[in-house]
Amino acid sequence: MPSVKQIQVTFDCADPERVARFWSDVLGYEHQGSACIDPSGAGPRLYFQRVPEGKVVKNRVHLDVRVGTGLIGDERIAALESECARLVALGAVRVRLLRADGVNESCLVMQDIEGNEFCLD
C-alpha cells in the first residue's frame, strides 16, 4: 500500500473565496479561488468549501501560525503582538493572550474572518 505524500486541510465556510484570500494573506500562500497553495510546496493546501450552516461551536482542530518559534518571554510576546496587529488589519479578531505557564510558551488565540479559531504560536 503506498504511503500518503500530501494532505489538504479543508474548512467549511460561508464565503470560500473571501476566506481563502484572507488565509493566503496570513500565510503568504498563493490564492487560487477557494484554495490557498504554499508557493514552496512544503505546506499543505488549504481548501475552503461552502456549507449552508454557520459555525456554532469551538473548532476541534485549528491552525497554529508559528511566529514566535524559539522566542521566550517578552520577546515572544512582542512577536505575537506584532503579527496580531497585522492580522487584525486583515480582518482577524484577537481573542486572548495565553501567557507561558511553565509547560507551554505564550500564544495568542485569534479568530479568522468567519470566526474560526487559530493561534499565533
Side-chain angles (χ1 to χ4, degrees):
M1 178 178 258
S3 63
V4 174
K5 301 293 184 200
Q6 294 183 348
I7 65 165
Q8 170 175 284
V9 180
T10 302
F11 296 84
D12 292 348
C13 61
D15 188 345
E17 290 212 20
R18 179 174 176 248
V19 180
R21 192 173 308 107
F22 169 82
W23 279 104
S24 292
D25 290 345
V26 169
L27 300 173
Y29 275 28
E30 294 173 5
H31 175 227
Q32 293 183 352
S34 296
C36 303
I37 293 91
D38 181 353
S40 75
R45 180 179 191 255
L46 304 181
Y47 180 72
F48 303 89
Q49 65 184 7
R50 186 179 319 278
V51 296
E53 68 277 0
K55 183 176 177 300
V56 178
V57 297
K58 183 180 180 291
N59 301 8
R60 292 291 306 259
V61 175
H62 67 267
L63 297 179
D64 283 351
V65 179
R66 313 275 329 266
V67 297
T69 304
L71 303 176
I72 59 172
D74 291 341
E75 187 178 17
R76 180 179 179 91
I77 290 173
L80 298 176
E81 294 290 356
S82 176
E83 184 66 359
C84 176
R86 183 180 82 85
L87 301 185
V88 165
L90 294 175
V93 174
R94 177 193 173 107
V95 177
R96 69 183 168 281
L97 175 67
L98 300 173
R99 293 198 174 264
D101 60 11
V103 176
N104 298 303
E105 286 296 334
S106 298
C107 71
L108 219 160
V109 180
M110 300 191 71
Q111 292 178 337
D112 73 10
I113 57 175
E114 285 202 4
N116 298 301
E117 294 88 7
F118 69 95
C119 291
L120 294 181
D121 176 34

